[in-house]
């Protein structure tokens, strides 16, 4: 059971009438990973999570969550979920909402007070436990949702845009919470389009666009290579062709940008430019950020 | 507690905390006060201030009580629709269903819990108010209808029937739409009952069949007839029976209780429609 991956999907697809929300997702997320699921609006991130939780039914394909086929109620037994667009019963207090979820999650009644107090403290709502949820601000609702997702030591936590309504402190808290979950060996599935955030906490990412995964792997794998900017003049067309093998080349205002180049190859690149008659005035190297990579991937996909 | 009972309890809590319930109870108390005042004045209503005799008081009181009972059953059916029609659709639209259904709970348990919760709320409202009203009438004119328990049972059953329909509609339709559909069907059922009675009175089998068909398709009017029967004193039943078929068209009269097979049909109807609601909601995308 423990050897089972946290999530495994095979050709998981979802179509809404003519809209393809998810076009055959195949992936395996090992236990204990913090997995970032990235993509632009409408890419299919929320759809994927809803399929995993049995909230929507796949058009085709299959998946297991914690070793149990999706749709089976047992697959949701050890799972915490923070939905993207949601509301809790506005007429309940925060504490009552947490108690309700303790009960639905089948947590031993004796453990409720501690679970509830811990959840409230973790998400910074300790003082608001007795407040009606209907009066909560959007960010407070999202904090409460995060608290609900953390109840009862889940083995897998699915967070759909957990920081969309949060202030900078809240975002920082979410990062801390995610790291704490990872330290406890909990698998985290994080939907986001906030790349800086994902970059800070995730060990593996998949980038989806229009229902397809267009890149995936560990952050190192994905961000391997540097970006080099070279200011060069008098470069011949042959010279330009000669450097294509170093990476993706773009030219703008006298600057050549080569992305995805291996760091040790930078002097070779400069040598190649010089050999081709280019006059090199400046060379700048930078580590590619996830955002650059993301935009580049999406640009390439369109 | 099983997930079904957790959802049922949550539903009761929600309904009781809503302002609708408070308003309903407050209005009911006002109406009950008025009705009781009216009943208290009953014995003095003879021509020229003559005191009505006991037989007359019983006759008038029983018929008056049937009208009050109709108003009550109408209010109850309306409230059941207002509680049932937005329940599932509202939870899906607002996003409250997302977090709950992501827990280890089946759709069937969720629907069943909602149904149980609303049924419980209907009983919580209907039992004390009926008991109190009958008690007040008894105090002021010393009249107790012959079968008060059966009356409550039939009126509650009518509400459960229409509630089940509204809940089934709410698996797919927005609250307003489902509510309107359920109420219109309730009205059609009532008219269908009258039509059937007219057919009986004029010995027209086709028209009678229309009435029978509506009573089978939606058993609300059938339950209402049971409630009327429970309120008819024996003397009135005797008189009306002698009037024979002519009385059949009167929607406020029923010579006999609904037959046992019809009661079984109604129970089966509720089970099947509830099953359809579960089936439909299980296929709903949240
Ligand atoms: N219930 C639905 N009915 C019809 N189409 C839907 C439904 N839900 C999602 N879609 C479509 O599926 C596609 C993927 O939507 P999804 O919500 O999964 O995107 P997302 O990646 O979560 O986007 P965002 O970043 O905006 O949250 C979109 O084109 C959307 O219009
Ligand atoms: Mg989304």
């Amino acid at each position: 059971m423990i050897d089972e991956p946290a999530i495994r999907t095979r050709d998981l697809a979802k179509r809404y009438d003519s809209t393809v929300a998810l076009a055959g997702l195949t992936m395996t997320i090992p236990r204990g990973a913090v997995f970032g699921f990235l993509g632009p609006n409408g890419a299919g991130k929320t759809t994927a999570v809803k399929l995993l939780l049995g909230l929507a039914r796949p058009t085709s394909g299959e998946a297991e969550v914690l070793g149990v086929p999706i749709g089976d109620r047992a697959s949701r037994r050890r799972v915490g979920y923070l939905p993207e667009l949601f509301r809790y019963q506005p007429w309940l207090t925060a504490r009552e909402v947490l108690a309700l979820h303790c009960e639905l999650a089948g947590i031993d009644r004796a453990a409720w007070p501690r679970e509830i107090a811990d959840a409230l403290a973790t998400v910074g709502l300790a003082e608001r436990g007795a407040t009606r949820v209907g009066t909560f601000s959007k960010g407070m609702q999202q904090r409460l949702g995060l608290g609900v997702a953390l109840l009862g030591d889940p083995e897998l936590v699915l967070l759909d845009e957990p920081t969309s309504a949060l202030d900078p402190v809240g975002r920082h808290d979410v990062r801390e919470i995610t790291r704490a979950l990872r330290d406890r060996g909990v698998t985290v599935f994080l939907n986001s389009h906030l790349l800086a955030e994902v970059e800070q906490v995730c060990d593996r990412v998949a980038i989806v666009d229009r229902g397809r995964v267009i890149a995936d792997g560990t952050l190192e794998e994905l961000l391997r290579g540097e970006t080099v900017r070279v200011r060069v003049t008098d470069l011949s067309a042959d010279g330009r062709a000669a450097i294509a093998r170093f990476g993706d080349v773009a030219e703008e205002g006298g600057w050549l940008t080569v992305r995805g180049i291996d760091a040790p190859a930078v002097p070779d690149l400069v040598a190649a430019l010089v050999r081709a008659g280019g006059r090199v005035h400046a060379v700048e190297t930078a580590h590619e950020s996830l955002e650059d990579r993301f935009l580049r991937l999406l640009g390439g996909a369109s | 507690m099983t997930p079904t009972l957790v959802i049922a309890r949550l539903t009761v809590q929600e309904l009781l905390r809503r302002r609708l319930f408070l308003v309903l109870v407050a209005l009911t108390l006002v109406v009950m006060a008025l009705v009781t005042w009216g009943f208290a004045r009953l014995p003095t209503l003879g021509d020229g201030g003559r005191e009505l005799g006991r037989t007359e008081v019983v006759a008038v009181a029983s018929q008056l009580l049937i009208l009050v009972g109709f108003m009550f059953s109408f209010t109850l059916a309306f409230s059941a629709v207002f509680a049932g029609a937005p329940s599932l659709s509202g939870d899906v639209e607002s996003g409250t269903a997302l977090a709950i259904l992501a827990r280890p709970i089946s759709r069937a348990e969720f629907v069943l819990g909602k149904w149980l919760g609303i049924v419980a709320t209907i009983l919580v409202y209907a039992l004390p108010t009926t008991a109190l009203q009958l008690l007040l009438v008894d105090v002021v004119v010393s009249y107790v209808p012959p079968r008060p328990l059966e009356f409550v049972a039939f009126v509650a059953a009518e509400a459960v029937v229409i509630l089940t329909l509204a809940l089934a509609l709410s698996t797919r339709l927005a609250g307003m739409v489902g509510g309107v559909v359920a109420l219109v069907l309730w009205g059609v059922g009532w008219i269908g009952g009258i039509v059937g009675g007219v057919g009986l009175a004029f010995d027209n089998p086709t028209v009678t069949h229309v009435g029978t068909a509506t009573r089978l398709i939606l058993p609300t009017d059938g339950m209402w007839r049971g409630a009327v029967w429970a309120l008819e004193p024996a003397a009135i039943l005797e008189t009306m029976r002698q009037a024979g078929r002519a009385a059949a068209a009167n929607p406020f009269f029923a010579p006999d209780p609904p037959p046992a097979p019809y009661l079984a049909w109604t129970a089966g109807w509720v089970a099947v429609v509830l099953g359809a609601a579960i089936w439909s909601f299980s296929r709903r995308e949240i």
Side-chain angles (χ1 to χ4, degrees):
Chain A
M1 181 76 188
I2 283 301
D3 300 333
E4 294 280 355
I7 295 174
R8 187 187 0 233
T9 71
R10 276 179 298 277
D11 294 323
L12 195 62
K14 177 68 184 177
R15 185 202 298 259
Y16 290 104
D17 299 323
S18 60
T19 314
V20 177
L22 205 59
L25 180 67
T26 301
M27 63 178 184
T28 303
I29 301 178
R31 291 203 181 227
V34 177
F35 183 84
F37 204 52
L38 302 175
N41 295 131
K45 306 182 293 295
T46 299
T47 303
V49 169
K50 286 186 175 179
L51 292 178
L52 291 175
L53 289 165
L55 295 170
R57 294 152 65 86
T59 313
S60 63
E62 51 195 63
E64 286 115 48
V65 170
L66 302 175
V68 184
I70 54 170
D72 192 328
R73 83 155 86 190
S75 72
R76 303 191 289 268
R77 191 146 282 152
R78 307 282 296 156
V79 176
Y81 170 47
L82 169 66
E84 180 180 28
L85 299 170
F86 65 98
R87 217 181 56 157
Y88 291 109
Q89 292 70 8
W91 39 276
L92 290 179
T93 66
R95 205 164 271 130
E96 287 170 330
V97 167
L98 289 164
L100 170 68
H101 280 268
C102 281
E103 192 157 21
L104 289 173
I107 298 168
D108 187 17
R109 197 172 278 262
W112 291 10
R114 189 181 47 76
E115 288 281 350
I116 293 171
D118 282 358
L120 285 172
T122 309
V123 299
L125 288 176
E127 261 97 74
R128 307 305 291 268
T131 310
R132 289 262 163 111
V133 175
T135 67
F136 272 18
S137 72
K138 184 80 191 66
M140 288 163 71
Q141 290 231 21
Q142 199 159 31
R143 283 166 182 270
L144 176 63
L146 197 58
V148 167
L150 298 178
L151 287 172
D153 270 330
E155 289 170 30
L156 168 66
V157 176
L158 300 150
L159 306 175
D160 197 349
E161 314 267 4
T163 58
S164 59
L166 296 187
D167 57 25
V169 180
R171 295 183 176 203
H172 173 261
D173 290 352
V174 170
R175 282 200 294 278
E176 291 304 308
I177 291 169
T178 312
R179 291 198 180 109
L181 288 171
R182 176 176 49 198
D183 293 345
R184 286 194 345 236
V186 178
T187 314
V188 180
F189 186 103
L190 179 68
N191 265 2
S192 184
H193 35 55
L194 296 173
L195 301 155
E197 233 149 57
V198 169
E199 204 165 2
Q200 290 179 57
V201 294
C202 293
D203 2 87
R204 299 170 63 91
V205 295
I207 296 179
V208 270
D209 184 33
R210 280 173 273 172
R212 289 183 189 286
V213 172
I214 52 176
D216 67 328
T218 63
L219 270 183
E220 294 86 77
E221 283 165 3
L222 221 65
L223 299 183
R224 187 173 325 151
E226 312 273 315
T227 297
V228 182
R229 280 163 45 88
V230 186
R231 184 159 159 67
V232 58
T233 51
D234 303 325
L235 188 62
S236 65
D238 284 352
R240 246 172 233 130
I243 58 167
R245 65 188 167 95
F246 289 99
D248 284 352
V249 182
E251 191 171 0
E252 198 192 330
W255 286 89
L256 275 182
T257 306
V258 183
R259 294 193 176 86
I261 182 173
D262 284 339
V266 174
D268 301 336
L269 168 70
V270 175
L273 286 170
V274 173
R275 261 201 310 279
R279 291 161 58 81
V280 175
H281 303 265
V283 179
E284 293 173 2
T285 63
H287 204 69
E288 191 179 32
S289 73
L290 185 55
E291 182 164 321
D292 291 337
R293 178 87 171 101
F294 181 74
L295 291 175
R296 196 149 59 84
L297 278 166
L298 291 183
S302 61
Chain B
M1 234 193 249
T2 68
T4 307
L5 291 181
V6 174
I7 299 300
R9 192 197 55 209
L10 189 70
T11 307
V12 172
Q13 268 178 351
E14 175 175 13
L15 291 171
L16 295 191
R17 283 191 199 181
R18 260 204 219 153
R19 199 157 288 147
L20 178 70
F21 189 81
L22 280 180
V23 170
L24 185 63
V25 168
L27 281 180
T28 308
L29 290 177
V30 170
V31 171
M32 276 164 61
L34 283 173
V35 166
T36 309
W37 177 80
F39 271 93
R41 306 263 304 151
L42 203 58
T44 66
L45 290 184
D47 304 329
R50 176 181 63 88
E51 287 261 326
L52 291 184
R54 184 64 202 154
T55 335
E56 282 169 305
V57 168
V58 168
V60 178
S62 66
Q63 295 311 297
L64 210 53
L65 206 54
I66 288 175
L67 289 181
V68 172
F70 180 71
M71 189 176 67
F72 179 69
S73 83
F74 182 75
T75 311
L76 201 61
F78 241 75
S79 309
V81 168
F82 272 112
S87 61
L88 295 170
S89 52
D91 275 11
V92 172
E93 276 158 29
S94 70
T96 43
L98 271 181
I100 295 215
L101 292 172
R103 293 291 173 192
I105 169 176
S106 70
R107 300 284 176 97
E109 287 169 330
F110 188 73
V111 174
L112 218 55
K114 284 272 175 192
W115 185 83
L116 275 177
I118 303 176
V119 168
T121 314
I122 287 175
L123 295 181
V124 162
Y125 166 76
L127 293 181
T129 47
T130 319
L132 184 60
Q133 182 66 81
L134 294 182
L135 189 74
L136 288 173
V137 170
D138 184 24
V139 167
V140 294
V141 288
S142 313
Y143 170 73
V144 180
R147 284 167 286 261
L149 284 181
E150 282 92 330
F151 169 73
V152 185
F154 278 119
V155 168
E158 181 186 358
V160 169
V161 165
I162 197 72
L163 154 72
T164 311
L165 177 68
L167 197 71
L169 292 173
S170 94
T171 61
R172 293 287 155 165
L173 301 179
M176 274 291 261
V177 184
V180 169
V181 171
L183 284 181
V184 167
L185 289 179
W186 182 87
V188 169
W190 193 63
I191 302 285
I194 299 176
V195 168
V198 169
L200 217 56
F202 291 96
D203 206 8
N204 181 323
T206 318
V207 177
T208 310
H209 289 329
V210 170
T212 311
T214 56
R215 259 179 221 179
L216 290 177
I217 293 169
L218 184 66
T220 43
D221 187 61
M223 293 299 100
W224 162 243
R225 297 299 171 129
V228 175
W229 163 80
L231 291 181
E232 301 277 19
I236 302 243
L237 278 179
E238 216 29 66
T239 327
M240 294 296 266
R241 277 209 191 96
Q242 274 150 28
R245 294 203 313 254
N250 180 352
F252 301 104
F253 174 72
D256 303 296
Y262 186 71
L263 295 183
W265 168 265
T266 305
W269 186 96
V270 169
V272 167
V273 174
L274 193 57
I278 288 171
W279 181 85
S280 161
F281 195 66
S282 300
R283 269 145 201 80
R284 171 97 194 239
E285 311 259 331
I286 306 298

